[in-house]
Amino acid sequence: QVRLVESGGGLVQPGGSLRLSCAASGSIFSINAMGWYRQAPGKQRQLVASITYGRRTNTNYADSVKGRFTISRDNAKNTVFLQMNSLKPEDTAVYYCNADLVATPWSSRGDYWGQGTQVTVSS
């Protein structure tokens, strides 16, 4: 069983910074990609940033966070980070960690989600 545990959310003033972490544990054979999504009240969940695994690392960011957010990973710990700088009130949302991985050598790729962590940007 795969488990994703997020941490690092909280309340921050506009212009401030937060760093989110997501640790994947359990049965993990290989990871294809990990990423962060967010969902604000009344809105659909949307991709914030993603990072691929393998020989070549590719990152992808939503236009609204480019230049302010940085996604990175620690392969040894199966952990992905989201450094969020210059936060704005419109960044307020529940942030969810996502992993595209293969749990065992005989299973197919699966999509896994964390429980979410609240980020609130307000003065």
Side-chain angles (χ1 to χ4, degrees):
Q1 189 172 358
V2 176
R3 187 181 181 205
L4 301 181
V5 178
E6 301 119 330
S7 60
L11 173 63
V12 64
Q13 292 186 343
S17 298
L18 282 175
R19 188 186 194 217
L20 304 183
S21 299
C22 172
S25 62
S27 176
I28 300 173
F29 177 68
S30 65
I31 300 176
N32 299 302
M34 293 187 73
W36 291 94
Y37 288 70
R38 67 187 182 187
Q39 187 167 19
K43 295 188 177 181
Q44 290 187 332
R45 189 175 299 187
Q46 57 181 198
L47 175 70
V48 176
S50 64
I51 185 167
T52 61
Y53 284 62
R55 292 184 180 181
R56 182 174 179 177
T57 298
N58 293 312
T59 57
N60 183 40
Y61 295 92
D63 287 342
S64 59
V65 307
K66 284 180 181 177
R68 300 188 298 121
F69 291 10
T70 302
I71 190 169
S72 61
R73 67 178 195 233
D74 182 334
N75 291 348
K77 297 181 179 180
N78 288 334
T79 299
V80 65
F81 306 97
L82 185 68
Q83 178 66 42
M84 305 185 293
N85 298 327
S86 302
L87 282 161
K88 304 175 181 180
E90 50 263 43
D91 294 318
T92 296
V94 178
Y95 284 69
Y96 295 91
C97 178
N98 171 266
D100 171 6
L101 58 83
V102 179
T104 67
W106 50 87
S107 60
S108 56
R109 289 171 66 170
D111 224 15
Y112 298 86
W113 295 90
Q115 79 286 354
T117 185
Q118 177 69 46
V119 172
T120 302
V121 185
S122 175
S123 55

